[in-house]
Amino acid sequence: MRALGLAGIAVRKNVFLCVRLHFSSRAGVECIAPLFQTVQETPRPIPTQVTGTIPKWIKGSLLRVGPGRFEFGNDKYNHWFDGMCLMHKFTIENGSVTYASKFLESDSYKRNKRENRIVVSEFGTLAMPDPCKSVFERFKAKFEMPKSTDNCNVNYVLYKGDYYVSTETNLMRKVDPEELDTLEKVDWSKFIAVNGATAHPHYDPDGTAYNMGNSYGKQGTRYNIIRVPAQKTGSEDSLEGAQVVCSIEPEEKMRPAYYHSFGMTENYIVFVEQPLKLNILKILTSKIQGKSFSGAMSWEPGLDTVFHVVNKHTGQPHHGTFHTGAFATFHQINAYEEQGCIVLDLCCQDDGATVHAFQLQNLRQSGQALDEIFKGVGKAYPRRYVLPLGIDSNTKPGIEVTPLDYTTAATVKRADGKVWCTHENLHDQTLEELGGLEFPQINYSKYNARKYRYFYGCGFKHLVGDSLIKVDVKTKKAKVWKEDGAYPSEPIFVPRLGSVEEDDGLLLSAVISPRQNKNTFLLVLDAKNLAEVGRAEVPVQMPYGFHGAFIPHRSPKHTE
């Protein structure tokens, strides 16, 4: 508690410093250091102050997850992705909102807390050997295989009716979404031959889940497409029945691509093999080299980005791959099939080295220094690619083969036999001014893997989201919510009860601020026009997080 209290004092000092810099310096962007500081958990639900209206038809819990503690003793994490997982819950009922949060009681968290130092390595931070051990023991520790972390701070995922928090290792933690209690640890490798899985699975309407994970073995590295059944049968374990649908061989076995998400249509999985590479040898020798996992990642813009298409029902790969110029992607928007093509929409950036910019020392800069960091970071913009499945060895080179008349995305077979895709930008000048878009969301329950028109996301003007955006993929026009000093999280779409129109619903976003005079609040917007419906102010601080989910409590018959 004393450490957290000291952290709280540090936060207040940073807030004061940043407020002063905001008003005294016009040369750079606003200091956002307080968005990346340790906070205390709020284990018991507390009331919020509602202004405007929270519609009574929306009843459920907005769950969010992200880093919440950035140091133990004198040890400090290096990267935003490393902070200990803090789970948040906004409970919405009859127009009122309560807030609670708890740290995930992961093995990593408990070991770090018990020893008051960083014991388990994370994405950008290498844990150092115990200084109390002998010189020989510390030397020997450098040759031990790096252990996976169960600090699952990226997303909430759903398998067989159970909720988990997930990161990208082989470990997940089952959680109780009602009480935010940490339950058992689940190891993917105990059920299926993979060494990890993404934190962004896809779901069929019946609840069947699909994911992707790498495997490292005698046959070399493989990208694996995973299917998890929709329901449990009897008293089976959590991931029992999971199976590898298809394995894809990387172009370089010891240097596979990093990936954070993938595309899914009604019948296909689309895996994007991007030139953001993982050096397996460097990962295996990270302790010897004294480098973290992130040090094994490299951006290689001279390579193609390759689309792999696999039938998710049969596991049969498409007879060819599709290529395009180098880009990096972390989040897909949506994908669907039409006229023998797959339409794939992604948030793309031309510089895959951006991931290294989110070092905490960068995010805690201010004024001109922060401005310079932002200028050097690649911006993510929405793009559309079209993959015609009928293209084959009989297709003549040089002829554009995309049959869809509503997109400028094109695909041609080149003289060298490579199928080459060029993209369509799904935005107008508005997104250029807002710094690009990330954390995309759609009306997932009704439009995932279907032709759609709208998506939502955060404008990333200042390294993290500082606006909320709705994009019409037909017109490319954008609607924007923005408030001075406010930094909104990923917007979660909640459809209105009985809705027919795609954008008939609400957007939920947790909004925080580095300024001492602004409160954290849950923002509720009308998804049609991004007009504010209401907000619920929370009298505690929250760090900037990653992803989340909305869980309806029930489906009442009445409306407002």
Side-chain angles (χ1 to χ4, degrees):
M1 291 299 294
R2 181 174 181 271
L4 286 173
L6 291 173
I9 292 172
V11 170
R12 289 191 290 274
K13 286 182 177 178
N14 272 303
V15 170
F16 177 76
L17 174 62
C18 289
V19 170
R20 186 175 66 184
L21 283 169
H22 172 72
F23 288 108
S24 64
S25 174
R26 301 297 179 185
V29 296
E30 179 175 30
C31 172
I32 56 175
L35 307 186
F36 307 95
Q37 299 290 342
T38 293
V39 299
Q40 296 188 40
E41 61 182 8
T42 307
R44 295 183 178 180
I46 58 174
T48 65
Q49 180 64 48
V50 174
T51 57
T53 302
I54 309 295
K56 291 186 177 180
W57 64 260
I58 182 170
K59 297 188 177 185
S61 298
L62 174 66
L63 304 177
R64 285 195 47 74
V65 70
R69 181 167 177 171
F70 297 92
E71 66 283 311
F72 287 93
N74 294 323
D75 291 355
K76 295 177 172 54
Y77 288 113
N78 298 323
H79 200 282
W80 178 28
F81 299 172
D82 298 343
M84 290 291 98
C85 173
L86 182 62
M87 301 178 288
H88 309 266
K89 179 184 179 185
F90 292 92
T91 303
I92 307 170
E93 193 82 23
N94 295 323
S96 297
V97 180
T98 61
Y99 170 78
S101 66
K102 287 184 181 180
F103 280 103
L104 180 72
E105 294 287 333
S106 63
D107 291 350
S108 300
Y109 176 77
K110 289 187 289 188
R111 287 187 64 194
N112 294 339
K113 191 174 180 182
R114 183 171 61 249
E115 299 193 28
N116 198 32
R117 66 184 185 89
I118 295 174
V119 181
V120 181
S121 298
E122 300 292 341
F123 174 79
T125 304
L126 181 68
M128 303 311 295
D130 187 348
C132 296
K133 289 185 176 181
S134 68
V135 173
F136 175 74
E137 287 174 321
R138 294 200 301 271
F139 176 76
K140 187 175 72 171
K142 288 181 176 289
F143 295 89
E144 295 174 351
M145 289 291 291
K147 291 182 172 61
S148 294
T149 180
D150 64 340
N151 178 37
C152 303
N153 64 6
V154 179
N155 201 8
Y156 281 90
V157 296
L158 181 65
Y159 295 110
K160 297 186 176 184
D162 292 326
Y163 280 91
Y164 301 80
V165 284
S166 176
T167 180
E168 296 182 330
T169 69
N170 59 302
L171 302 175
M172 298 188 299
R173 294 302 300 237
K174 187 183 290 187
V175 294
D176 175 1
E178 289 298 318
E179 301 296 330
L180 297 183
D181 289 338
T182 304
L183 304 178
E184 63 261 35
K185 181 170 65 177
V186 176
D187 185 342
W188 277 97
S189 65
K190 301 296 184 184
F191 300 91
I192 193 169
V194 295
N195 298 95
T198 82
H200 289 286
H202 277 296
Y203 308 97
D204 276 344
D206 68 353
T208 300
Y210 290 85
N211 207 335
M212 291 198 61
N214 285 356
S215 60
Y216 311 104
K218 294 180 180 179
Q219 295 181 334
T221 304
R222 294 286 190 276
Y223 310 119
N224 300 293
I225 297 170
I226 307 163
R227 179 167 54 223
V228 181
Q231 300 295 331
K232 296 179 183 178
T233 57
S235 59
E236 67 181 22
D237 287 329
S238 49
L239 296 178
E240 199 71 45
Q243 61 181 148
V244 171
V245 175
C246 178
S247 292
I248 301 168
E249 187 172 338
E251 292 191 351
E252 296 180 84
K253 291 184 179 181
M254 294 300 290
R255 291 179 357 110
Y258 168 80
Y259 54 94
H260 187 72
S261 65
F262 59 98
M264 187 181 84
T265 71
E266 181 180 358
N267 296 296
Y268 298 97
I269 298 294
V270 184
F271 167 57
V272 183
E273 188 175 18
Q274 58 189 350
L276 181 57
K277 295 288 190 174
L278 298 176
N279 188 311
I280 301 301
L281 184 59
K282 285 186 177 181
I283 292 174
L284 295 175
T285 59
S286 59
K287 285 190 174 183
I288 300 173
Q289 297 184 37
K291 294 183 178 180
S292 65
F293 180 89
S294 65
M297 299 177 70
S298 62
W299 170 240
E300 306 195 14
L303 301 177
D304 292 353
T305 294
V306 183
F307 302 103
H308 299 264
V309 177
V310 175
N311 186 303
K312 71 183 190 184
H313 307 299
T314 67
Q316 183 66 35
H318 187 260
H319 52 73
T321 56
F322 301 84
H323 293 246
T324 192
F327 71 79
T329 181
F330 294 94
H331 300 106
Q332 69 94 40
I333 302 168
N334 199 9
Y336 61 91
E337 301 164 35
E338 186 169 31
Q339 297 184 46
C341 299
I342 291 176
V343 179
L344 177 66
D345 296 346
L346 307 157
C347 288
C348 304
Q349 54 194 57
D350 294 325
D351 183 3
T354 296
V355 66
H356 299 297
F358 292 98
Q359 296 282 334
L360 287 169
Q361 65 180 9
N362 291 339
L363 296 171
R364 291 169 179 168
Q365 293 287 345
S366 60
Q368 188 65 36
L370 182 61
D371 199 22
E372 290 302 316
I373 292 168
F374 174 73
K375 288 178 182 178
V377 170
K379 312 303 187 293
Y381 294 99
R383 294 177 181 173
R384 169 165 289 174
Y385 290 89
V386 176
L387 315 178
L389 299 179
I391 197 167
D392 57 23
S393 58
N394 296 319
T395 303
K396 293 182 179 180
I399 300 175
E400 204 278 310
V401 292
T402 306
L404 307 180
D405 60 5
Y406 58 82
T407 178
T408 58
T411 306
V412 297
K413 184 178 179 181
R414 301 195 315 197
D416 60 4
K418 190 176 288 187
V419 179
W420 194 261
C421 304
T422 55
H423 68 269
E424 174 190 14
N425 288 322
L426 295 180
H427 64 91
D428 63 6
Q429 184 62 31
T430 304
L431 261 64
E432 304 280 348
E433 298 167 358
L434 293 170
L437 181 147
E438 258 295 355
F439 293 161
Q441 289 286 318
I442 63 169
N443 182 346
Y444 192 94
S445 62
K446 293 186 178 181
Y447 287 88
N448 180 54
R450 293 179 57 190
K451 190 175 182 178
Y452 74 114
R453 183 164 179 175
Y454 305 108
F455 69 90
Y456 314 88
C458 289
F460 268 61
K461 185 73 172 178
H462 299 139
L463 292 176
V464 294
D466 68 343
S467 62
L468 293 172
I469 304 170
K470 174 185 180 180
V471 176
D472 183 333
V473 299
K474 184 177 180 179
T475 67
K476 313 296 189 301
K477 300 296 183 184
K479 291 182 170 62
V480 181
W481 179 93
K482 188 175 176 63
E483 184 172 291
D484 188 39
Y487 294 82
S489 71
E490 167 193 65
I492 301 295
F493 180 88
V494 182
R496 186 183 299 273
L497 296 167
S499 62
V500 176
E501 296 176 310
E502 179 183 344
D503 58 348
D504 186 7
L506 300 173
L507 293 180
L508 305 180
S509 176
V511 182
I512 61 178
S513 177
R515 301 185 189 178
Q516 199 171 22
N517 63 342
K518 290 183 73 71
N519 286 334
T520 297
F521 58 92
L522 174 66
L523 176 66
V524 182
L525 300 179
D526 185 329
K528 283 185 173 295
N529 53 20
L530 264 58
E532 181 172 333
V533 176
R535 64 176 64 184
E537 294 192 354
V538 183
V540 298
Q541 293 176 329
M542 292 172 54
Y544 199 85
F546 299 130
H547 302 289
F550 181 78
I551 304 177
H553 285 177
R554 55 182 178 270
S555 299
K557 301 296 183 182
H558 64 275
T559 56
E560 298 177 88

